[in-house]
Amino acid sequence: MLDESSYVTAIYLYVGSAVVLLIYLAWWLRKHCSSSWVSLVVLLLASLLLTPAYPKAAVDTMAPALIVAVFELLTVGAEGTSEALRPIIFMAGVAVVLALLLRITVFRRHKK
């Protein structure tokens, strides 16, 4: 079991490595895709990697929802993943709406 300092360290390492991955992916995709596609992919991946969820009902600490969903799928089965998939689906929807808003406002093509 993790104590408080090791839990915080693990969360910092996970979030830090996810942010580094997202920055690298945005930099790499910027060369190959348009800005609106880059924002959609990066925001969707951020919603997958950074959405938190409670591993169980009686637990006070949170974990990444994707990891919780995978562990629940492997241990309990598909019916146990609904608690972890609900925040992932919601945040993926928010990411798509945000990417569409970015496409309409910031990344729009100007008429000449």
Side-chain angles (χ1 to χ4, degrees), residues 17-111:
S17 62
V19 168
V20 168
L21 173 74
L22 291 171
I23 290 171
Y24 177 73
L25 182 69
W27 174 76
W28 185 78
L29 284 176
R30 187 182 59 148
K31 297 178 183 179
H32 303 291
C33 300
S34 68
S35 298
S36 57
W37 282 108
V38 171
S39 66
L40 177 65
V41 170
V42 169
L43 286 171
L44 278 175
L45 189 59
S47 70
L48 282 175
L49 292 176
L50 298 175
T51 301
Y54 289 108
K56 294 181 182 177
V59 177
D60 294 334
T61 59
M62 297 184 100
L66 185 63
I67 293 174
V68 172
V70 168
F71 281 139
E72 290 294 321
L73 180 67
L74 294 175
T75 58
V76 178
E79 63 275 354
T81 61
S82 65
E83 289 297 321
L85 287 180
R86 196 172 305 130
I88 291 175
I89 292 169
F90 174 75
M91 291 307 290
V94 169
V96 169
V97 168
L98 187 58
L100 285 173
L101 287 174
L102 285 172
R103 170 71 174 107
I104 292 171
T105 58
V106 177
F107 300 131
R108 67 179 179 195
R109 294 201 172 108
H110 299 286
K111 293 183 180 181

